[in-house]
Amino acid sequence: FQSFWIAKGLESQGLALQPRLTFKISTIITLTAGTAFIMWLGEQITEKGIGNGISIIIFAGIVARMPEVLFSTIALARTGEITPLAVFVLLFFSLATIGSIVFVERSHRKIPVQYPRRMVGNQLAQAQTQYMPLKVNMAGVIPPIFASAFLVLVATIFSFSISEFWQDIGSYFLPGQIGYILLFVFLIVVFCFFYTAVVFNPVEVAENLKKNGGFIPTVRPGKQTSDFLYSVLRRLTVWGAIYISIVCIVPQMFYLEMGASQFAHVFGGTAVLIVVGVTLDTASQIESMIVARNYEAYMNK
């Protein structure tokens, strides 16, 4: 009798206790259509708006949950489930994580580029030295997003198995387990090198410098310049991968050890890295648009 009313209560909450084939098909279609709509909406934001559309949608989902988690943590402190000192430590660690991410995301390696005297129209341009900034984290927020998606896929595949052996293996890839941490770090390193190679091509940059008459001091134009840029980029990518791995692993483990699992999901390293990265990129795009409009207005005058 009790199990009957429990089942009735679950049905009243909209849970499918025995899903049929039609329910599974409709669920797959609904999730696929929703994903396609989100992707289309992100592309529209990218083309007609400001910033990367998909990143902004993910950013909005994370930021929308932050006040709820913060208020729930304060409520737990009021009820005595956690101490006020623990809440202060959590907030201080979150602010320290945000400050560290902002500092590293703003850091870059300056490579000097010299331009000799050359004729620009009818005028002789003087020799000048400019700097090519290479960010420490060239890949941005893409590596942790791809790595997290891959880990969710792996955990989902293991959960579908009815064998206890495969379910036990899948338990090693849950958040906080050693298998999850090792695979997560490995995927972050792989995606860092892959995405950096996509967004920055040393051969193309070296050719553009050669066409414009620019050169890096003590480095010959052409192949030696591309090799030099590749070596610098490789070292930066190694440090960037280490930085992203630390940011994505250490805060999450700290929050789990403190017993704040909800805090780890929203204020964890991956979520904060996405929020800070999207905010800085969007702000830089807004600033560049304002400068371009002011320049156009000045030239029109």
Side-chain angles (χ1 to χ4, degrees), residues 81-97:
E81 298 186 20
I82 59 176
T83 61
L85 179 61
V87 177
F88 175 78
V89 171
L90 291 174
L91 294 177
F92 177 79
F93 190 82
S94 300
L95 293 177
T97 303

Side-chain angles (χ1 to χ4, degrees), residues 68-86:
E68 178 184 357
V69 173
L70 185 59
F71 291 146
S72 63
T73 305
I74 296 175
L76 292 176
R78 290 180 178 178
T79 57
E81 298 186 20
I82 59 176
T83 61
L85 179 61

Side-chain angles (χ1 to χ4, degrees), residues 41-60:
L41 186 61
E43 291 178 357
Q44 296 301 313
I45 295 174
T46 303
E47 293 179 359
K48 302 180 181 179
I50 299 175
N52 191 319
I54 297 296
S55 299
I56 290 178
I57 293 175
I58 299 174
F59 163 85

Side-chain angles (χ1 to χ4, degrees), residues 60-224:
I62 296 173
V63 172
R65 293 184 56 193
M66 284 185 174
E68 178 184 357
V69 173
L70 185 59
F71 291 146
S72 63
T73 305
I74 296 175
L76 292 176
R78 290 180 178 178
T79 57
E81 298 186 20
I82 59 176
T83 61
L85 179 61
V87 177
F88 175 78
V89 171
L90 291 174
L91 294 177
F92 177 79
F93 190 82
S94 300
L95 293 177
T97 303
I98 294 174
S100 302
I101 292 174
V102 172
F103 175 78
V104 179
E105 291 294 328
R106 289 291 188 181
S107 302
H108 54 268
R109 165 77 183 274
K110 289 184 178 181
I111 297 180
V113 179
Q114 292 185 355
Y115 291 93
R117 292 183 178 182
R118 61 187 186 276
M119 293 296 297
V120 179
N122 296 326
Q123 296 181 354
L124 178 63
Q126 298 295 326
Q128 57 182 347
T129 301
Q130 298 181 358
Y131 292 93
M132 180 191 305
L134 297 180
K135 294 179 61 177
V136 176
N137 181 21
M138 294 283 291
V141 300
I142 298 300
I145 293 177
F146 282 7
S148 301
F150 186 83
L151 287 173
V152 170
L153 178 62
V154 172
T156 303
I157 292 174
F158 281 121
S159 65
F160 284 156
S161 176
I162 60 176
S163 175
E164 294 183 358
F165 173 75
W166 292 111
Q167 290 182 358
D168 292 338
I169 294 178
S171 63
Y172 289 102
F173 296 97
L174 295 176
Q177 301 296 325
I178 185 64
Y180 176 90
I181 295 174
L182 294 177
L183 183 58
F184 193 34
V185 172
F186 173 75
L187 292 175
I188 285 176
V189 173
V190 171
F191 287 124
C192 277
F193 278 92
F194 171 76
Y195 195 74
T196 302
V198 171
V199 299
F200 188 86
N201 188 358
V203 177
E204 184 179 354
V205 174
E207 289 296 328
N208 292 332
L209 288 177
K210 186 176 181 180
K211 291 179 181 178
N212 295 324
F215 64 94
I216 300 174
T218 69
V219 180
R220 284 188 174 184
K223 186 177 183 304
Q224 291 189 6

